[in-house]
Amino acid sequence: MAQFKNPLFCAIDTSDLNHALQLAGQLKDLVGGFKVGLQFFCAHGPQGVEKLAHYDVPLFIDLKFHDIPNTVAGAVQSVMQLKPAILTVHAAGGKEMLRAAMDTAANEAARVGMKTPPWVVAVTVLTSLDEGDLDSFGMQGSAHKVVARLARLSEKSGLDGVVCAPHEISTVRSIAGRDFKLVVPGIRPKGSAADDQKRFMTPEEAIDAGANVIVVGRPITQAEDPSAAAHAIIESITEI
């Protein structure tokens, strides 16, 4: 399994490649890794990711694959050329899709010469949603119950872990094995704006609750001094 120098991954999701590379240069010696998502990938494609990879920092490629098993297997096969440390699928894609993603990642990791396969983690409930949103599209039960069902499915399907909101960390920890990885967005340092996050927590609270990786974007990337903002978060979580 991939190991990182610290749990902080910075989300560099921007369509401005020069700005992304500038941020990467500032943060490469601080953070545990970089997360790139749909905005970055749709703007710059694999070539943009390869430019970030030059900084030799673990990459979390967060494309949230969700399709029929064969299509997801093909997508994972393609993205493995970029040697991600973490990649995402949607837990709601079901057991066969999840297994196809996991098996393909393991096989491709060996083929492209990775020493260890990436973490394949399943997105449970997006941090921008709350229980009212879940009810509006037919997902029964509280956010905790929905996340618990999807986390069980993910673990039974052989995945390395899940992506969950901070307030569901304890829920997943209570039902999953000790080695099950929790990647946690929706992190806001004290004094930061919530933005579009409805279920958020401070970095210290999330790590103390059992997160393996925390993902922070705007509080770092939009700070006057991104390096100082990242350093402050790392100091706060390494004291735990």
Side-chain angles (χ1 to χ4, degrees):
M1 288 297 171
Q3 296 297 322
F4 315 116
K5 65 183 177 184
N6 64 62
L8 176 61
F9 272 56
C10 180
I12 303 182
D13 289 332
T14 173
S15 54
D16 184 337
L17 183 58
N18 289 332
H19 181 52
L21 296 176
Q22 181 183 39
L23 284 168
Q26 290 178 274
L27 301 171
K28 62 183 175 64
D29 296 322
L30 290 170
V31 299
F34 298 133
K35 182 190 87 78
V36 294
L38 288 169
Q39 182 178 2
F40 182 95
F41 200 86
C42 289
H44 312 300
Q47 296 81 9
V49 178
E50 287 172 349
K51 290 181 179 180
L52 280 180
H54 289 163
Y55 291 98
D56 197 28
V57 174
L59 295 179
F60 171 11
I61 300 181
D62 182 25
L63 301 181
K64 301 180 179 70
F65 296 134
H66 188 178
D67 212 308
I68 63 172
N70 188 63
T71 298
V72 167
V76 171
Q77 182 179 30
S78 295
V79 83
M80 283 298 297
Q81 308 303 314
L82 300 171
K83 299 184 178 180
I86 308 174
L87 61 86
T88 50
V89 295
H90 264 290
K95 179 176 66 176
E96 295 305 320
M97 189 206 81
L98 296 175
R99 287 180 174 171
M102 192 71 188
D103 291 345
T104 302
N107 292 336
E108 287 299 303
R111 192 181 69 80
V112 301
M114 295 180 69
K115 292 182 180 178
T116 56
W119 292 359
V120 181
V121 295
V123 176
T124 53
V125 175
L126 298 173
T127 53
S128 60
L129 303 176
D130 60 19
E131 290 175 9
D133 297 312
L134 294 176
D135 183 66
S136 72
F137 48 78
M139 298 191 80
Q140 296 180 343
S142 66
H144 287 275
K145 289 181 178 179
V146 173
V147 169
R149 290 198 298 267
L150 294 173
R152 285 193 190 98
L153 173 65
S154 300
E155 187 174 36
K156 288 179 180 178
S157 301
L159 265 68
D160 296 298
V162 294
V163 179
C164 67
H167 291 284
E168 279 92 59
I169 294 172
S170 60
T171 297
V172 179
R173 282 279 169 245
S174 70
I175 62 170
R178 198 170 79 179
D179 294 333
F180 200 60
K181 310 300 184 187
L182 300 191
V183 177
V184 183
I187 301 297
R188 289 291 181 268
K190 291 176 183 176
S192 296
D195 297 312
D196 55 358
Q197 304 295 333
K198 294 182 179 178
R199 301 181 345 271
F200 58 92
M201 194 177 273
T202 67
E204 305 97 303
E205 290 169 335
I207 293 296
D208 191 50
N212 296 99
V213 164
I214 58 171
V215 180
V216 182
R218 285 165 284 189
I220 295 174
T221 61
Q222 295 182 7
E224 287 188 17
D225 186 342
S227 296
H231 184 72
I233 293 171
I234 293 164
E235 280 202 327
S236 75
I237 60 179
T238 52
E239 291 173 357
I240 295 173

